[in-house]
Amino acid sequence: MWGGRFAEGPSAIMREINASIPFDKALWREDIRASKAHVAMLGAQGIVSAEDAETITKGLHEIAAEYERDGVPEDWDLEDIHMTVEARLTDLVGPVAGRLHTARSRNDQVATDFKLWVRAANARAIAALGALRSALVERADEHCGTIMPGFTHLQTAQPVTLGHHLMAYYEMLTRDTARFAAAQERLDECPLGSAALAGTGFPIDRGATASALEFSAPTRNSLDAVSDRDFALDYLMAASQCSIHLSRLAEELILWASQPFGFASLPDQLSTGSSIMPQKRNPDAAELVRGHAGRIVGACTSLMITMKGLPLAYSKDMQNDKPPVFEAASLFDLSLAAMTGMIAETTFKPDRMRAAAQAGHATATDLADWLVREADIPFREAHHITGEAVKLADTKACSLEELSLEDLKGIDDRIDEPVFKALSIEASVASRASYGGTAPDQVRQRVAEARERLAAENSPED
Ligand code: ARG
């Protein structure tokens, strides 16, 4: 299609290195959609005759049906999806097909196609995140009062509620959702009509193609429009950050499902067995979600480094934009689906969680706080006294709660009977009722708010 000025055709190596059809055929729907919008505009503007526009549109329609049925043929000589479609159109409708490429270039074409693809990927991410966030909220609601150890440094710190822990992930994923939504807003300008790099001399109507493709407006600078891949990076960055959150959640499920923890049992449908150890039940899905995060972040890094230092406008390096986005998107979609299944179906083990919360002197801070509140002891001194109590409990191999009043008075005389009320893990979590704290009532309020928010997100706005 560009052979006019060449005496010889490309070598086999040139054809191979140049071909993007093996991966960009994934853009066929977007390519045909954008071509239909373009030719309709060319017809409306009288740049091509109404008759030719109709012939081309019918041809494009037929190609879509063929691809839907048989897949996209992969001919390296045709280089990419844009030329593949155009060549097929020529087969079908003859030389009139050549009018389709009036007032456009593959440079604005690929930017438009890819933007349409990424827009759909953002929308899928937002919807899948909605499902995962709902699953977290439902499980949190079930476990507002379930006590587990809260950790810092992975050491038992203070008792928390499982509901509170799950809602922490709801918060992360809510921020991720906002990142995809912001990406969606930023990409809302249509590059089509920027042509090769400088715009075109034909009297095109860019507003018409923009609205036919459901963009708010055309892009304002043709050089930027054909060389901008920020929309793909926005997607990859949002997916990277989200996949980091998913991998943290996956890691916790892996840990909780391990025998020494025993806090959870992952659903059969998302676990695998071992071919040699019959007792095993491996958390493979969670491990792969954790692993996929590495590949998604890698894809983001790959495109950032591809774009770095490219002069305006289009350079062929940019053809390498698609594989990382396609790969990341399929890993990310799968990760969200797997995680939603795991959250919805995991069996939590409240007894084990409770026992672990009891075991780690998790209410030591409550003892110190009691000394401050009830005996007016400065916190630093209270901290020291509590440390003595923990030491004694360790020596006696019992919990703080199981120490006798005599034991405690032996450490500090100001300690009294009512202290025992503060030492239970129930009292401990109930007392942390500051806004955003772990107290069951607080968690219940956050769950109710989250439910309202999810319902609002799902109801169509007018
Ligand atoms: N296959 C190319 C890509 O994916 C399409 C644009 C080609 N433009 C060009 N001037 N060679 O980026």
Side-chain angles (χ1 to χ4, degrees), residues 18 20 23-24 27 79-82 105-107 110 229 314-316 318-322:
N18 208 33
S20 55
F23 51 85
D24 69 16
L27 293 176
E79 202 179 312
D80 57 25
I81 185 61
H82 324 295
S105 146
R106 278 185 294 151
N107 296 348
V110 72
R229 293 295 181 272
Y314 178 86
S315 296
K316 198 62 173 256
M318 291 167 66
Q319 179 164 289
N320 287 336
D321 55 0
K322 283 160 229 79

Side-chain angles (χ1 to χ4, degrees), residues 16-227:
E16 183 169 355
I17 198 173
N18 208 33
S20 55
I21 186 67
F23 51 85
D24 69 16
K25 62 184 183 180
L27 293 176
W28 73 264
R29 284 189 182 81
E30 290 76 11
D31 195 71
I32 290 177
R33 182 177 177 196
S35 285
K36 281 182 176 170
H38 182 66
V39 77
M41 180 277 292
L42 292 178
Q45 295 297 103
I47 300 169
V48 304
S49 70
E51 201 193 330
D52 287 350
E54 207 194 312
T55 307
I56 290 171
T57 304
K58 278 194 182 142
L60 290 169
H61 205 73
E62 208 175 318
I63 297 173
E66 278 179 20
Y67 290 177
E68 194 73 72
R69 197 178 53 233
D70 309 326
V72 182
E74 210 179 285
D75 176 354
W76 289 0
D77 284 328
L78 293 174
E79 202 179 312
D80 57 25
I81 185 61
H82 324 295
M83 302 224 276
T84 301
V85 171
E86 197 181 324
R88 183 66 189 135
L89 188 64
T90 309
D91 294 342
L92 290 174
V93 306
V96 67
R99 297 194 186 278
L100 170 61
H101 213 52
T102 313
R104 78 170 186 193
S105 146
R106 278 185 294 151
N107 296 348
D108 59 337
Q109 205 181 344
V110 72
T112 305
D113 294 359
F114 197 26
K115 227 181 209 195
L116 291 170
W117 197 95
V118 169
R119 188 170 72 182
N122 276 325
R124 281 200 307 279
I126 291 170
L129 275 164
L132 176 51
R133 287 158 65 226
S134 296
L136 283 164
V137 169
E138 293 318 307
R139 298 314 301 271
D141 187 36
E142 219 177 291
H143 291 287
C144 283
T146 300
I147 298 178
M148 63 176 279
F151 301 96
T152 60
H153 313 266
L154 203 55
Q155 304 283 315
T156 299
Q158 293 172 355
V160 296
T161 52
L162 174 58
H164 195 50
H165 196 111
L166 294 172
M167 286 301 283
Y169 285 97
Y170 166 82
E171 292 296 332
M172 294 176 227
L173 300 181
T174 298
R175 293 193 294 274
D176 292 328
T177 304
R179 269 183 280 275
F180 284 108
Q184 215 55 331
E185 239 172 77
R186 258 194 302 277
L187 67 63
D188 193 20
E189 292 171 350
C190 183
L192 194 60
S194 299
L197 75 166
T200 175
F202 291 98
I204 58 172
D205 179 353
R206 294 199 57 211
T209 43
S211 62
L213 297 173
E214 293 172 90
F215 288 101
S216 293
T219 51
R220 283 173 303 278
N221 183 300
S222 59
L223 289 168
D224 173 47
V226 295
S227 56

